[in-house]
């Protein structure tokens, strides 16, 4: 059982390092299976968000020498969900939790993508230009 857990950790680590790989696999694989490119794109974004959250959390922890990365990301996502839920309640009088969670998750994809590129650039430049 231990070997299975280690294999899963290694596979996640590999896919999280280069998040374009799981995005492409899901997009083209699922798109070929269901023949709906819009749905395949949304599904690929949802799967890749999970990889990006892990990778950005690790990059943040390594660059700033702390362990707040994952907790900070989850905290910001919860605050974003609360704000979107409040906005939806004020405009419609009720909260559709599924839509709020989906919106936060998809916004998280774009924010995590930008943070991934930014933190990867900072980390690589810090490593290359270290004296």
């Amino acid at each position: 059982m231990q070997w299975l857990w280690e294999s899963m950790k290694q596979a996640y680590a590999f896919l999280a390092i280069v998040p374009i790989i799981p995005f492409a696999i899901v997009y083209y694989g699922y798109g070929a299976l269901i023949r709906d490119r819009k749905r395949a794109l949304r599904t690929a974004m949802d799967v890749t968000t999970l990889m990006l959250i892990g990778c950005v959390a690790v990059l943040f922890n390594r660059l700033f020498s702390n362990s707040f990365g994952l907790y900070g990301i989850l905290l910001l996502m919860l605050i974003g969900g609360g704000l979107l839920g409040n906005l939806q309640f004020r405009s419609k009088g009720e909260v559709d939790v599924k839509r709020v969670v989906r919106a936060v998750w998809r916004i998280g994809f774009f924010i995590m993508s930008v943070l991934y590129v930014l933190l990867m650039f900072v980390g690589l430049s810090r490593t290359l230009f270290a004296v």
Side-chain angles (χ1 to χ4, degrees):
M1 192 63 173
Q2 183 68 23
W3 62 272
L4 179 63
W5 180 250
E6 289 298 319
S7 298
M8 288 174 44
K9 283 187 354 185
Q10 292 295 327
Y12 175 78
F14 173 73
L15 292 174
I17 289 173
V18 186
I20 193 73
I21 293 173
F23 182 86
I25 290 171
V26 172
Y27 178 69
Y28 290 115
Y30 193 65
L33 185 68
I34 65 164
R35 307 263 189 238
D36 183 6
R37 292 293 178 192
K38 280 180 91 171
R39 189 169 175 196
L41 178 68
R42 290 190 299 255
T43 304
M45 286 171 55
D46 292 342
V47 170
T48 306
T49 302
L50 185 63
M51 304 294 172
L52 285 168
I53 287 172
C55 191
V56 168
V58 169
L59 284 169
F60 185 86
N61 291 345
R62 298 261 171 132
L63 286 175
F64 299 109
S65 300
N66 64 23
S67 59
F68 188 67
L70 181 62
Y71 302 117
I73 291 169
L74 294 177
L75 178 65
L76 290 175
M77 291 178 93
L78 284 171
I79 290 171
L83 291 172
L84 284 174
N86 184 27
L87 179 68
Q88 191 178 66
F89 181 76
R90 288 178 184 266
S91 65
K92 295 184 180 180
E94 62 183 1
V95 177
D96 185 4
V97 177
K98 186 176 178 181
R99 277 186 80 183
V100 170
V101 169
R102 190 179 328 129
V104 168
W105 195 252
R106 301 245 169 94
I107 291 169
F109 171 78
F110 292 110
I111 293 172
M112 292 301 125
S113 297
V114 169
L115 284 174
Y116 172 78
V117 171
L118 181 68
L119 292 175
M120 189 63 81
F121 178 74
V122 169
L124 287 174
S125 63
R126 184 185 277 185
T127 302
L128 290 175
F129 300 117
V131 177

